[in-house]
Amino acid sequence: LVTLKDRTEGILKGKAEIRPFFEAGLRKLQNDLGRWYRTGTFFSNGRQLTWEYPRDTPQGDQVDLVEVMDIANGLIAHHRVYWGWVGFKALVAALNKPVP
């Protein structure tokens, strides 16, 4: 997904780089699947935090993904998003959509 066309790698550092990515991504994925419902269940061992946005929600299907954050000294050291099938199809559909 080419959300930030000026980027040459998939690593963003700091709020100044991360904020435009999320803003652009949320604009592109605005559709019936963009509800961002979570169950409230998460896993943490003090060094890593993981939670899921499930496909099946009380309001119907949504983008499905899992987020994983590595925590160091109380800050996010690394953040990864793993897309499920419905989320992947939403990303592919967004490929041909211009960023507003």
Side-chain angles (χ1 to χ4, degrees):
L1 177 61
V2 184
T3 300
L4 301 175
K5 294 180 183 189
D6 61 328
R7 301 297 302 186
T8 59
E9 61 179 279
I11 298 172
L12 303 173
K13 296 180 181 179
K15 291 178 185 177
E17 291 183 8
I18 294 170
R19 184 180 314 276
F21 171 78
F22 278 104
E23 289 172 349
L26 290 173
R27 281 192 307 269
K28 275 192 140 188
L29 291 176
Q30 290 300 321
N31 60 31
D32 293 337
L33 299 174
R35 283 187 269 283
W36 308 110
Y37 167 83
R38 291 187 292 146
T39 64
T41 302
F42 63 91
F43 168 78
S44 177
N45 63 8
R47 295 181 317 274
Q48 195 169 67
L49 177 62
T50 304
W51 66 90
E52 175 187 20
Y53 295 87
R55 179 195 52 79
D56 187 26
T57 78
Q59 293 78 36
D61 282 352
Q62 71 173 359
V63 169
D64 52 338
L65 57 92
V66 172
E67 290 193 66
V68 179
M69 293 184 182
D70 296 331
I71 309 297
N73 301 314
L75 298 173
I76 300 168
H78 296 95
H79 176 236
R80 296 169 304 285
V81 177
Y82 299 99
W83 295 83
W85 182 242
V86 173
F88 174 75
K89 290 193 306 184
L91 284 173
V92 169
L95 281 173
N96 296 321
K97 249 175 126 175
V99 176

